[in-house]
Amino acid sequence: MQTDIDPRSLIGRKAYDRDGHRIGTVDEVYLDDATGVPEWAAVRTGLFSRDAFVPLAPSTFRDGSLHVPYERRLVKGAPDFGVGRHLSPDQEIQLYRHYRLDLPGPPAPERPSRPPDRDFGRIAGRDDPRDPAR
């Protein structure tokens, strides 16, 4: 999804499936805990219906509406977790599996900008048991 879109601007917008059929209206937007990037939208699927979560990463925002690359039936069949609460990691995994998305991996460890100094505290080449001149 476009990353320059303010997630608050999605709320109240119409959502459409891959065939252009209206799914409902975006009720809430959920951000990734680690990055703060919008990750899921809860779409109200009807007047007396529930909210269905849709992934924002493969979706697009165009012409003032959210367009998801899934059939309306798949969206309406998404696990029901209710809205207004935090999604647990287990709930997110269920959603990833429902939409057949790759599960996100653990964050990559930070690499040091340069290798650690292994010669700290002695002069390189002196008293070094690896020195062939010894």
Side-chain angles (χ1 to χ4, degrees):
M1 192 176 114
Q2 294 169 259
T3 57
D4 60 340
I5 298 294
D6 180 354
R8 294 172 293 197
S9 69
L10 289 173
I11 297 172
R13 302 295 181 128
K14 293 179 179 25
Y16 295 91
D17 75 355
R18 70 177 184 192
D19 299 319
H21 299 118
R22 184 170 176 211
I23 300 169
T25 304
V26 177
D27 205 15
E28 293 187 18
V29 176
Y30 290 74
L31 308 179
D32 181 271
D33 288 339
T35 65
V37 172
E39 188 172 17
W40 301 97
V43 176
R44 172 80 43 192
T45 59
L47 187 60
F48 299 108
S49 297
R50 64 184 185 86
D51 282 80
F53 287 89
V54 296
L56 290 173
S59 302
T60 58
F61 184 72
R62 64 179 189 271
D63 302 325
S65 302
L66 180 67
H67 296 264
V68 297
Y70 304 102
E71 289 181 340
R72 179 171 43 187
R73 186 172 62 175
L74 181 67
V75 172
K76 287 188 174 192
D80 185 3
F81 302 124
V83 294
R85 290 175 277 170
H86 184 268
L87 284 175
S88 73
D90 287 338
Q91 290 171 327
E92 284 194 76
I93 288 171
Q94 288 179 49
L95 289 169
Y96 274 98
R97 288 184 178 148
H98 177 77
Y99 288 106
R100 294 187 174 103
L101 295 170
D102 292 333
L103 292 171
E110 288 188 31
R111 293 183 151 191
S113 57
R114 61 187 176 127
D117 185 0
R118 290 187 171 79
D119 293 322
F120 183 76
R122 63 175 189 211
I123 298 173
R126 280 205 179 160
D127 300 321
D128 187 349
R130 296 172 290 166
D131 186 3
R134 262 186 98 205

